[in-house]
Amino acid sequence: MKKLKILEQLDRIEKMIQANKKVLTLDEACEYTGISRGYMYKLTARGEIPFSKPRGKLIYFDKEKLDQWLLSQPSKSRAEIDNEALNYVFRKGKSR
């Protein structure tokens, strides 16, 4: 019981340290994004995700660029779509 609590605390500390890092390793980036290691390799091979590979060896990720990539294709909520439709109809009605 006590060992489990210590492991949970260590996990929390590790996540706090990772949250403050600017550059992430492949494993850290996978943990951070929730993307599997295999799929992350596919994304880098296709050039679909921003990464660095200094000296052609290990893969690193800029956390800020990862955040931008993760949020790059937002989906609109139903309310946003309805609001845009209403604005479009009102604009078209005024131009007639």
Side-chain angles (χ1 to χ4, degrees):
M1 185 73 161
K2 200 173 194 179
K3 188 176 182 178
L4 182 63
K5 189 163 183 109
I6 291 171
L7 290 174
E8 288 174 355
Q9 287 175 333
L10 283 173
D11 191 44
R12 241 189 344 257
I13 291 168
E14 191 175 75
K15 286 182 181 179
M16 286 172 42
I17 290 169
Q18 188 176 9
N20 290 325
K21 287 182 74 175
K22 182 175 172 20
V23 177
L24 304 175
T25 64
L26 177 72
D27 289 331
E28 291 169 338
C30 291
E31 177 80 25
Y32 180 71
T33 61
I35 296 173
S36 73
R37 188 178 173 97
Y39 189 56
M40 189 67 84
Y41 272 123
K42 283 183 184 178
L43 291 171
T44 58
R46 294 180 193 155
E48 294 181 21
I49 190 167
F51 69 98
S52 296
K53 197 172 182 181
R55 293 186 223 126
K57 295 261 181 184
L58 301 175
I59 298 172
Y60 295 97
F61 299 87
D62 181 313
K63 189 175 176 189
E64 194 172 305
K65 287 182 181 178
L66 267 182
D67 288 339
Q68 291 171 358
W69 180 81
L70 287 168
L71 300 172
S72 66
Q73 295 180 340
S75 295
K76 293 181 182 180
S77 70
R78 186 52 146 180
E80 289 172 317
I81 293 169
D82 290 346
N83 192 31
E84 284 181 9
L86 259 169
N87 287 335
Y88 178 79
V89 169
F90 283 128
R91 274 194 315 242
K92 284 293 184 182
K94 287 182 180 180
S95 65
R96 289 184 178 182

